[in-house]
Each structure stands twice: as C-alpha cells, then as structure tokens.
Amino acid sequence: MRGLALWLVALAVALLPVGAVAQGAVADPALRARADALVAILDGRGAYDTYFAASFREKVPKAQFSAITAKLKTTLGVPQKIESLTATSAWSADLVVGYARGTASVRLVIDPAAPHAATGLLITGTGARDDSLAKVEAEFRALPGASGFGLYALGEGKPEPILEYRADVAAPLGSAFKLWVLAELARQVASGERRWEDVVNVGAPSLPSGVLQTWPAGSPVTVQTLATMMISISDNTATDTLLTTLGRAKVDAIAAAAGGSVPVMTTREMFALKGDAALTKTWAAGSVDERRALLVDNAVKILTAKLDPTVFAGKPVAIDSVEWFASPAAMAGVLDRLRRADATTRAVLAVNAGIDPAIAKRFGYVGFKGGGEPGVLALNYVVQAKDGRWYAATGNWHRADDGVNEVRFAGLMGRALALLAAR
C-alpha cells in the first residue's frame, strides 16, 4: 500500500531534496529568472526540454509532467504569476504560484552551472482564494465516485463535529489502517506489556511502499523503529512485522472498538488476496469468521506466495472488499486516542506531516497518516493549534471505475487544515 510519502512522489514530482533552509539565503538572479519562467511551464506553454535538466526529464517524462500540471489547472485555473519567492539557498527556493482560482506552493531547485536548468520541482500544496469551509464541503460533494469528510474539535469527551459530509459511512482506507496498529502498540506500551525499545526480527517481506523488504531476513529492529517506518514512510514490511508481533486478535479488538473492519489483514495478505481471483471472491462473500478462517487455512500459501508488484496495473482492484474500512468519524476517534497517548506515539505520528510546510507551520503540532491504492485515497490529520486547541481532519475518496486525482484531494484537505489554523 502506498502511504503519504509515496503519494507525494506520485502527485508532486519530487526529484531532488531541497535541503535545509540557509538562514538569510539570497537567491541568485538565475534562480529568480527560472522561477518567473515556471509560470509558462505550468501552463503548458514553456519549453519543457530546455527548462528541466536531463536528470529530471529521465525520471519525469513530459507526458507525466503534463498530466500533473493539467490536474492543477483543472483544480485552480490558469497559472498567472509567482506571488512570492523565499530563497532556501542561492539555487533553491520555496515559491507561491498564483493561479486564477488559488495558489500552489512549489519548491524549485536549479543547477548552479549555466544554463541553470531546473533539477528539482516539488508541489507541496494548493489553496483556494477567499476560501471557506462551505466551499470545501461543496467541492467534496462534487468529487466523482464516493467520498467522506470530517473536521472535529478534540477535547475531554468525544470528538465534536465542526463539519461533516458522509462522515458516518465506512470507506476504504488503504494504509491508513496502520493507525490501528500504532494504537494497539501504544496501548501495550502503556499497560507495560511492551516497551518501545523491545527488539524483534523483521518478518516476511511484503511489497513496497517501504524499504524493510530489502533488508536481510530476520534483521533485528526495535518496535519503535517499526512503528516509525510504518507511519512515516508507510513501510509495509514493518507494518506486517509489527502487527504479527502485537497479535492479530489484539489489533482486531482495537480496530473493532474504533469502528473499523475486521479481520485486519497484513499488507502481504492483501496483496496475495488481490492477486488470486478465487481468494478475492471467497473473501468478498465471507463473514468475519469465514474471513478469519480463510487467512488461517491459506497462511502457508500466502506466506510463500510470490507477490505480483503489478497486481493493480494502475486500476482499482477489489476496493469494495479486499480492503480495510472505517468512516471519517471513526478515524477521528482513533486520532483522538493517539494524541492522548504518550509522547513517543505523538512523535511517531509527526515525522511526516503530510501537508504543505507553510500550512504545517501554522500549527504547534501535526500528526498524519494517509493511504491509498488505485481508486482509493484517505488522509488523516491530528493537529494542535498555536493556542493549544486540538483538531482532527479526516477524509476519503474512492471510485471503482477509475483513479482519483491526488492533487485535487490533497489540496482539499490542505485547505481544510488552513481554515482550521485560522479559526
């Protein structure tokens, strides 16, 4: 399953890291010139082959780049000008690009050597002009397929709705189910059953996202390392190892209590089920107990199966059955539980903020976990405003007939968070 780190690569065209911001950095004139020329590039009028370095073009072909910029224009209108440029070094900057109906936050890196071609470009977020929660809700309602959304104030009691749309309808989560695994780990640590520094061996490899599938079999790691990789880069092998270590029955219990679907599959099980038409059909028709029995009866087959990395082939596959499910309201409850846990749990959630850094800076804390696959996207945030108040923002979008526009959806969630920060 793809988590937010990989969603950002898919939707944001990230080629090279920008690096740390240099205090008092001053942009070279060549950087400002490249920034100004970016408007035409984003509009489809510029010379892609000369604007970008060969290293960029090899990783992001023109057709792929054009598809991304077209999605931006669909959402925001025509790009018009560079509204601001903040240098992070002489050769890199954070930009705000003004569009007809909003803005896009962009990180740009250029080659110090003439002709100063762009070597890195990252679209970190979008926003609408004169925005409001009513406009955000209207755009959620306009999404093709099915979607759900919820904003909640978090306090001593249950999450209090600020804005909801189909918030009580369960929807596919993708890798966002990993929040259940983190919640069970936090519970076991709090009860004394486990410690963050406990060492376990990496289990059977799953497919990416992540990196642990490439590590030597049985590598020793702490459960905190597994949790951090599971949440920050959505590492599937880390997730499966942690879920197995904690115990499926215990993860099932916490998922069920949180309003989620059970049994909670490992990612390897999900890939194996989706790659086998007979297993997919049996799972889809089965009750909870029958699904549990299917996983037990086929455990050896699933453990030894050669997983097919092309199982999705860019199209939705069994997203109405072989998935993890919960409603936005239920996910808000999970986020509330996690923000009440210990400092380590909150730190794990905060490694990857999953939003435009300019929006993240408006909060005192941002915790995040997203997930998705072709046809599925779910984004979940728990944030603390500068005045100390806590909020949860949860949303999902899925369609069985086609993919979803990641830029459009991430932009909606970013706008909702920006509006929360302004409350």
Side-chain angles (χ1 to χ4, degrees), residues 50-124:
T50 56
Y51 186 87
F52 290 108
S55 59
F56 185 100
R57 301 195 308 271
E58 289 172 3
K59 295 181 179 180
V60 183
K62 185 177 182 179
Q64 181 183 351
F65 183 80
S66 296
I68 294 171
T69 56
K71 288 182 179 181
L72 283 172
K73 291 177 70 174
T74 298
T75 302
L76 301 174
V78 177
Q80 298 177 329
K81 64 179 180 178
I82 302 299
E83 295 191 355
S84 70
L85 183 154
T86 303
T88 54
S89 75
W91 312 106
S92 61
D94 289 336
L95 314 175
V96 174
V97 182
Y99 282 73
R101 296 192 300 272
T103 61
S105 300
V106 177
R107 295 178 182 176
L108 174 67
V109 183
I110 69 170
D111 188 342
H116 308 295
T119 56
L121 183 68
L122 173 65
I123 300 165
T124 60

Side-chain angles (χ1 to χ4, degrees), residues 49 52 60 86 88 112 149 151 155 164 177 188 238 243 246 274 311 329 349 364 398 400-402 405:
D49 290 336
F52 290 108
V60 183
T86 303
T88 54
F149 172 74
L151 291 180
E164 292 183 312
F177 88 92
Q188 291 190 18
L243 193 159
L246 300 175
K274 286 192 186 249
V311 63
L349 272 174
H398 61 281
D401 62 329
D402 201 355
N405 183 327

Side-chain angles (χ1 to χ4, degrees), residues 102-181:
T103 61
S105 300
V106 177
R107 295 178 182 176
L108 174 67
V109 183
I110 69 170
D111 188 342
H116 308 295
T119 56
L121 183 68
L122 173 65
I123 300 165
T124 60
T126 60
R129 300 191 189 282
D130 302 319
D131 211 2
S132 69
L133 289 180
K135 290 183 178 180
V136 171
E137 180 181 2
E139 292 192 36
F140 259 95
R141 291 177 178 273
L143 293 172
S147 62
F149 172 74
L151 291 180
Y152 303 87
L154 307 180
E156 295 301 319
K158 294 182 179 179
E160 298 180 3
I162 298 171
L163 177 67
E164 292 183 312
Y165 169 60
R166 288 170 45 90
D168 60 345
V169 179
L173 300 174
S175 285
F177 88 92
K178 296 168 185 178
L179 290 172
W180 300 334
V181 182

Side-chain angles (χ1 to χ4, degrees), residues 396-412:
N396 63 73
W397 181 18
H398 61 281
R399 53 187 304 183
D401 62 329
D402 201 355
V404 292
N405 183 327
E406 299 90 358
V407 171
R408 182 177 180 180
F409 191 75
L412 278 175

Side-chain angles (χ1 to χ4, degrees), residues 125-319:
T126 60
R129 300 191 189 282
D130 302 319
D131 211 2
S132 69
L133 289 180
K135 290 183 178 180
V136 171
E137 180 181 2
E139 292 192 36
F140 259 95
R141 291 177 178 273
L143 293 172
S147 62
F149 172 74
L151 291 180
Y152 303 87
L154 307 180
E156 295 301 319
K158 294 182 179 179
E160 298 180 3
I162 298 171
L163 177 67
E164 292 183 312
Y165 169 60
R166 288 170 45 90
D168 60 345
V169 179
L173 300 174
S175 285
F177 88 92
K178 296 168 185 178
L179 290 172
W180 300 334
V181 182
L182 180 62
E184 174 55 21
L185 175 57
R187 187 201 67 77
Q188 291 190 18
V189 170
S191 68
E193 299 172 55
R194 201 168 298 280
R195 301 174 304 162
W196 288 108
E197 59 267 30
D198 287 349
V199 175
V200 299
N201 296 326
V202 174
S206 183
L207 293 176
S209 54
V211 296
L212 278 188
Q213 73 278 358
T214 66
W215 286 24
S219 294
V221 292
T222 67
V223 295
Q224 182 172 340
T225 297
L226 292 173
T228 303
M229 298 180 79
M230 173 180 72
I231 298 298
S232 65
I233 63 171
S234 208
D235 193 298
N236 288 331
T237 301
T239 302
D240 292 358
T241 302
L242 193 53
L243 193 159
T244 303
T245 298
L246 300 175
R248 191 200 303 275
K250 293 183 177 180
V251 175
D252 276 6
I254 207 161
S261 60
V262 294
V264 180
M265 298 174 290
T266 64
T267 66
R268 168 174 269 274
E269 288 168 340
M270 182 278 298
F271 285 119
L273 291 177
K274 286 192 186 249
D276 186 311
L279 288 179
T280 295
K281 183 177 180 180
T282 302
W283 177 273
S287 65
V288 170
D289 287 340
E290 288 170 337
R291 289 179 175 184
R292 286 193 173 114
L294 180 150
L295 294 178
V296 171
D297 294 343
N298 291 274
V300 174
K301 179 180 180 180
I302 290 172
L303 184 63
T304 58
K306 184 177 180 180
L307 300 180
D308 181 6
T310 66
V311 63
F312 299 113
K315 298 179 179 180
V317 178
I319 65 172

